[in-house]
Amino acid sequence: MHIAVVGTGYVGLVTGACFADLGHEVVLVDNNEERIAALRNGEVPIHERFLPELLARHRGERIKFSGDLQAATRASAAVFIAVGTPPTESGDADMSYVESVAREISGGVDGYKVVVEKSTVPVYTSQWIRTIIMRNGADPSHFDVASNPEFLREGTAVTDFLYPDRIVVGVESERGAEVMRQIYGPLTSGWYYGRGETIPRPAASSAKTTPRLIITSTKSAELIKHASNAFLAMKISFINAVASICESVGANVEQVCDGIGTDSRIGPRFMSPGIGYGGSCFPKDLLAFRAVAKESGYDFRLLEEVIRINEDQRRRFLRKVRSVLWTFRGKRLAVLGLAFKGGTDDIRESPAVLLVEELLREGCRVCAYDPAAMERAKAVLKSGVEFASDAYEAATGADALLILTEWEEFATLDLERLRTLVKYPIVLDGRNLYDPAVMVEHGFSYYSVGRPAALTEELPGTRSQKKERA
Ligand code: UDX
């Protein structure tokens, strides 16, 4: 099938590359000429596992790049819109990019096509896209608009696409539904999984069988995306709130999570407490969903609370750092992690970056290391931060070491070596990557989220766990 994908950001690139791997002919369209030139040159503008392999495999063959949306539309049976929908001041999604893409698509609708919204959008967007395409002269019988929300996580987006739990398609006509069935046929029929040279199935994938294609109305599909992300964010805020209670009463959130998560109605995933969620989706989508609800006449106060708990989580961690260091001014802190989560170079709404900014305001000196996000972070954290070339260099001479992103490599540090490098053996872990008992064995005082501190020294107002055990 010939498919155009508009927008070469995270979603567009991954979607285009994966469609090519399913056997489709893909043209990736962007109005940013520099980006198109770079992609044609073989550059991969984002850090995403398996994306370089897929682009290299199909570039110039089943993947072409273009700046001409109308020509791409004419050549395609389906046009996927994957452009940005950034938040406005009021939290609504800014739909102007989607609108201008729809306007341009209109000029290329010369026969039946399905225009598919892939960006996260408020309910009614597909109806607006239809109106805009018609307003600009396209014959209404020549196209349908479908909503096909993505559930891609950065860092695992390629495998999320190829091994999904489900595929949601909102569409109002059988003809449009049939086009979408064909596009996803290689996955829903299992053909892709039986083929050689596929991207390997992730170990944690719950999709042991072929994914189900769920066909809904366009409005339902639009709501499914917002409601899914809001629910996941709520799960994180819920466990973060429980972690705070654990800290107050001396319980261990890991044990609590184990007890809650084994209830099959709840499940163990998305239950890791920490310094809160960030990224390009959850913060923006929660605000947008709240705005959508408000517009529809429903005051979704639960979402406000989810957001409040998330912000409070960062403040609580900062208070914890202060309670350990006593004063901030002039202290040298090693920071491991700047990305909003492990496995990505994305720092949008990163709780790690927000915390570093706060520490700088308080007068700390920060030496940071992140395996992928340092270039992006340098553009934001202009002064007061030194960037190290690895975790050990960052730790050298540090008054305390802070773990702010759940990178796998931060969970397997050489603790003996680390101990010899830091000025004081104090670790504050905002992602619960270590067993507190192991940290104490290696001579560290260790503070994490929702678990009792494991101390090698006694602080004013606390009693060390070690001493209590003794
Ligand atoms: C999310 C959704 O998962 C995806 O379906 C949607 O399409 C886009 O938004 P992403 O933003 O890439 O994906 O990251 P995700 O892995 O969901 O993590 C989001 C944030 O939550 C990160 O900051 C992460 O550190 C945090 N998180 C996640 C937790 O704090 N605890 C958890 O248990 C899980």
Side-chain angles (χ1 to χ4, degrees):
M1 203 151 221
H2 286 260
I3 296 174
V5 179
V6 195
T8 58
Y10 279 98
V11 176
L13 273 180
V14 170
T15 302
C18 289
F19 278 154
D21 214 42
L22 299 187
H24 300 305
E25 299 288 331
V26 176
V27 51
L28 274 158
V29 187
D30 206 299
N31 59 6
N32 181 334
E33 284 169 20
E34 260 173 52
R35 197 160 170 106
I36 288 293
L39 284 163
R40 278 198 187 119
N41 260 342
E43 286 173 36
V44 183
I46 55 169
H47 178 90
E48 193 61 57
R49 196 157 180 232
F50 297 123
L51 185 62
E53 287 93 318
L54 286 186
L55 288 175
R57 191 182 286 178
H58 302 297
R59 185 182 293 113
E61 306 272 325
R62 284 210 291 266
I63 296 183
K64 308 257 174 2
F65 300 99
S66 167
D68 187 344
L69 176 52
Q70 288 200 4
T73 302
R74 276 192 289 276
S76 303
V79 185
F80 283 73
I81 303 176
V83 296
T85 54
T88 61
E89 286 282 300
S90 60
D92 295 332
D94 175 356
M95 301 304 293
S96 56
Y97 300 112
V98 175
E99 182 178 1
S100 77
V101 165
R103 231 182 284 130
E104 223 178 305
I105 286 174
S106 180
V109 177
D110 57 355
Y112 182 73
K113 314 206 176 275
V114 183
V115 178
V116 192
E117 45 162 35
K118 194 94 185 132
S119 314
T120 303
V121 293
V123 68
Y124 292 121
T125 301
S126 63
Q127 289 188 357
W128 269 113
I129 292 175
R130 183 165 183 80
T131 304
I132 297 298
I133 294 177
M134 275 160 41
R135 249 185 217 168
N136 286 278
D139 181 335
S141 67
H142 277 176
F143 74 99
D144 275 305
V145 179
S147 169
N148 174 214
E150 51 82 18
F151 302 101
L152 312 177
R153 287 162 300 173
E154 287 178 25
T156 56
V158 169
T159 46
D160 285 345
F161 190 102
L162 296 169
Y163 298 90
D165 290 336
R166 78 312 203 181
I167 298 158
V168 173
V169 169
V171 60
E172 304 298 332
S173 80
E174 181 44 38
R175 191 176 181 191
E178 190 45 36
V179 170
M180 297 303 288
R181 275 191 210 103
Q182 280 180 34
I183 289 173
Y184 284 106
L187 296 181
T188 53
S189 68
W191 173 84
Y192 180 76
Y193 307 120
R195 203 193 76 174
E197 287 196 331
T198 49
I199 296 293
R201 180 187 291 277
S205 164
S206 59
K208 295 290 175 242
T209 52
T210 56
R212 193 179 140 209
L213 184 75
I214 302 175
I215 303 258
T216 67
S217 70
T218 48
K219 282 184 219 157
S220 296
E222 287 162 343
L223 278 182
I224 284 169
K225 177 61 203 264
H226 268 150
S228 295
N229 275 357
F231 193 89
L232 290 170
M234 180 183 75
K235 226 176 158 187
I236 297 170
S237 277
F238 182 85
I239 205 62
N240 277 334
V242 172
S244 299
I245 300 170
C246 286
E247 286 180 9
S248 305
V249 302
N252 183 329
V253 74
E254 221 161 68
Q255 296 170 355
V256 176
C257 274
D258 198 26
I260 306 173
T262 38
D263 184 325
S264 60
R265 293 168 301 176
I266 298 174
R269 295 171 72 191
F270 267 72
M271 293 274 262
S272 305
I275 52 173
Y277 62 76
S280 65
C281 286
F282 285 174
K284 166 170 87 80
D285 289 355
L286 259 85
L287 290 176
F289 196 27
R290 192 183 58 175
V292 163
K294 203 171 232 160
E295 216 164 282
S296 74
Y298 185 75
D299 187 9
F300 208 156
R301 273 181 285 177
L302 176 63
L303 298 186
E304 263 151 55
E305 197 52 23
V306 170
I307 295 167
R308 192 197 62 75
I309 292 171
N310 196 54
E311 285 165 3
D312 201 37
Q313 204 59 14
R314 260 194 337 265
R315 283 192 285 272
R316 288 180 66 88
F317 190 76
L318 194 69
R319 279 204 296 277
K320 194 174 290 174
V321 182
R322 189 196 296 280
S323 75
V324 173
L325 293 178
W326 192 26
T327 63
F328 274 145
R329 189 153 299 279
K331 294 270 163 69
R332 178 185 165 84
L333 301 182
V335 164
L336 301 190
L338 295 165
F340 81 95
K341 65 171 190 177
T344 177
D345 61 348
D346 197 340
I347 56 159
R348 284 177 285 178
E349 300 288 326
S350 167
V353 170
L354 294 168
L355 265 166
V356 168
E357 285 173 337
E358 197 59 46
L359 291 166
L360 294 173
R361 270 197 290 278
E362 297 273 359
C364 294
R365 289 181 297 137
V366 169
C367 186
Y369 170 69
D370 187 286
M374 287 204 292
E375 281 314 307
R376 289 181 193 266
K378 277 177 194 167
V380 177
L381 299 169
K382 293 234 164 57
S383 61
V385 181
E386 262 175 72
F387 292 91
S389 57
D390 63 24
Y392 304 100
E393 189 186 320
T396 304
D399 287 282
L401 179 113
L402 275 51
I403 301 176
L404 302 185
T405 305
E406 65 273 43
W407 279 99
E408 264 171 43
E409 70 171 74
F410 296 158
T412 54
L413 294 169
D414 178 344
L415 297 175
E416 283 304 313
R417 185 175 165 203
L418 203 63
R419 174 76 186 76
T420 62
L421 296 173
V422 291
K423 185 167 170 197
Y424 300 116
I426 299 171
V427 172
L428 290 122
D429 182 355
R431 300 293 189 167
N432 288 6
L433 299 187
Y434 285 93
D435 178 345
V438 171
M439 293 304 274
V440 165
E441 269 165 33
H442 284 85
F444 287 98
S445 280
Y446 179 71
Y447 304 81
S448 52
V449 180
R451 303 183 297 179
L455 307 183
T456 52
E457 60 178 355
E458 201 164 315
L459 289 186
T462 64
R463 289 193 63 206
S464 92
Q465 216 185 40
K466 210 175 167 193
K467 289 203 170 114
E468 269 167 15
R469 271 208 305 272

